[in-house]
Amino acid sequence: MKRNIVGILLLSFCLILLGTGCRKSIPVTQYGSTVPYSGKTLDNSAQQEKKDRVKAAIVDAGSKLGWIMQPVNESTIEGTLHARSHTTVVVITYDVASYIITYKDSINLNYKNGKIHPQYRNWVMNLQKHIDIELS
């Protein structure tokens, strides 16, 4: 009887470990949003000012979340997040109307054939949410 209980407990423990340790990969998708629109037609200097505000919102949001945000050119920022032994790198392209977050690279997130560990989605969706907050 005692031996059966120990066996059941051991089996239960093993099943719990298997269930928590093996997360299914998810497809890598792009994330992004539109930039709130004021309703006015913008001249060139106003467009540049708005684009600068979009860039600042992206950099500020990422930095507050621990991302390293590096401008690549006038319309692109590369974001890198280090979390424990994991690293993810995204490219964020933007203009006055919208931004898009695209997967670039990762370490220890099991990227293969367009699929990745589900934590990637959590990190990127959190980044998107905070960019939207900064833009509003």
Side-chain angles (χ1 to χ4, degrees), residues 11-23:
L11 179 63
S12 298
F13 180 72
C14 289
L15 289 174
I16 290 170
L17 284 178
L18 279 174
T20 58
C22 299
R23 297 176 103 181

Side-chain angles (χ1 to χ4, degrees), residues 59-70:
V59 171
D60 290 348
S63 297
K64 288 176 184 175
L65 293 171
W67 289 77
I68 299 165
M69 307 302 272
Q70 284 291 122

Side-chain angles (χ1 to χ4, degrees), residues 2 14 19-20 32 36-37 49 51 59 66 68 78 99 109 115 120 125 132:
K2 192 175 190 182
C14 289
T20 58
Y37 178 62
E49 184 180 317
K51 192 171 181 181
V59 171
I68 299 165
E78 185 174 282
Y99 68 91
L109 288 172
K115 293 190 174 194
Y120 168 80
M125 286 179 71
D132 289 345

Side-chain angles (χ1 to χ4, degrees), residues 112-130:
K112 186 176 182 182
N113 299 326
K115 293 190 174 194
I116 197 164
H117 191 283
Q119 186 58 45
Y120 168 80
R121 176 182 53 206
N122 297 337
W123 288 325
V124 176
M125 286 179 71
N126 195 32
L127 176 60
Q128 176 187 351
K129 179 177 111 182
H130 281 81

Side-chain angles (χ1 to χ4, degrees), residues 25-112:
S25 294
I26 60 164
V28 172
T29 58
Q30 290 184 333
Y31 298 86
S33 188
T34 57
V35 174
Y37 178 62
S38 66
K40 296 188 264 180
T41 303
L42 303 175
D43 62 18
N44 286 343
S45 65
Q47 280 191 355
Q48 187 58 48
E49 184 180 317
K50 185 170 183 181
K51 192 171 181 181
D52 291 343
R53 284 196 309 257
V54 172
K55 176 183 178 181
I58 293 167
V59 171
D60 290 348
S63 297
K64 288 176 184 175
L65 293 171
W67 289 77
I68 299 165
M69 307 302 272
Q70 284 291 122
V72 174
N73 60 41
E74 188 178 303
S75 301
T76 308
I77 297 170
E78 185 174 282
T80 304
L81 180 67
H82 301 286
R84 298 170 303 281
S85 64
H86 309 290
T87 299
T88 189
V89 182
V90 296
V91 173
I92 306 164
T93 53
Y94 63 93
D95 57 26
V96 296
S98 64
Y99 68 91
I100 298 172
I101 305 170
T102 306
Y103 173 86
K104 181 178 180 185
D105 198 10
S106 62
I107 298 170
N108 290 333
L109 288 172
N110 303 325
Y111 178 81
K112 186 176 182 182

